[in-house]
Amino acid sequence: MKRSLTPAATALSVAVLLAACCGGGGGDSDIVFEDEDPERSEQSGSVVVGGAAVAAQNGVYANSNVYLNAVEKVNPPGSDPELCRYRFARMNLAGSDYVMEGDIRYQPGTPTVRVMFVTISNGTRTTDYSLDEPVGATVDRTNDEVDFAGARLSNGTDTITLTGSIPMRDDRPEGC
């Protein structure tokens, strides 16, 4: 069964994209993001979530076959800078039905994560978070992953920290 971003995470992503495209009007209409659900990879990932207001969301989210999209290079009109983007899914919380999925965007040729959206859900409860500052999040191209060392994500009322790594595909565009 394929999973996709929750409606709230999708809406948040669309809002960010529309803002980057000057509200969606008058922009270049040929900018297309990969909208396919992430597919099973052969790559492992593991992150520890801490500090969640919902204590059941804290713990180790991992998968030996993280679901990933291809990394794509995007530069919507009116945005600066150009970004590399991919989605991940099916990072499972050990001993729980909570699952993490998200969207990571980073600058080509740098270790800087510009924005990241994460959704943690268990079928009855869904919480969306975003990384607003790149502190604690670093792109490691050599090891095909994004590393987290206490990166803080928030949703306006709740803040979590991530420590660990989320893989990315190795067949990336130049600079990504």
Side-chain angles (χ1 to χ4, degrees), residues 17 20 28 31-33 71-86 104-115 139 141 172-176:
L17 293 174
D28 193 353
I31 302 300
V32 177
F33 289 119
V71 176
E72 57 188 341
K73 193 181 282 188
V74 295
N75 191 7
S79 73
D80 184 37
E82 179 175 57
L83 297 174
C84 301
R85 174 196 185 250
Y86 74 101
I104 300 174
R105 300 171 193 186
Y106 59 94
Q107 281 184 257
T110 75
T112 305
V113 175
R114 292 287 292 203
V115 68
V139 178
R141 287 172 185 77
R172 300 182 297 273
E174 185 177 344
C176 289

Side-chain angles (χ1 to χ4, degrees), residues 141-166:
R141 287 172 185 77
T142 303
N143 292 310
D144 300 321
E145 63 191 21
V146 176
D147 298 322
F148 303 94
R152 298 171 52 88
L153 290 86
S154 67
N155 63 11
T157 58
D158 188 15
T159 300
I160 61 171
T161 59
L162 289 185
T163 303
S165 64
I166 296 174

Side-chain angles (χ1 to χ4, degrees), residues 45-69:
S46 175
V47 292
V48 176
V49 171
V54 177
Q57 292 179 343
N58 293 317
V60 178
Y61 289 78
N63 192 330
S64 58
N65 293 294
V66 176
Y67 282 55
L68 300 169
N69 274 90

Side-chain angles (χ1 to χ4, degrees), residues 28-45:
D28 193 353
S29 63
D30 63 349
I31 302 300
V32 177
F33 289 119
E34 181 177 333
D35 62 358
E36 296 296 318
D37 287 337
E39 296 180 359
R40 182 182 170 146
S41 74
E42 301 278 325
Q43 296 170 271
S44 297

Side-chain angles (χ1 to χ4, degrees), residues 93 95-99 121-124:
L93 177 59
S96 172
D97 57 351
Y98 276 102
V99 177
S121 63
N122 72 349
T124 58

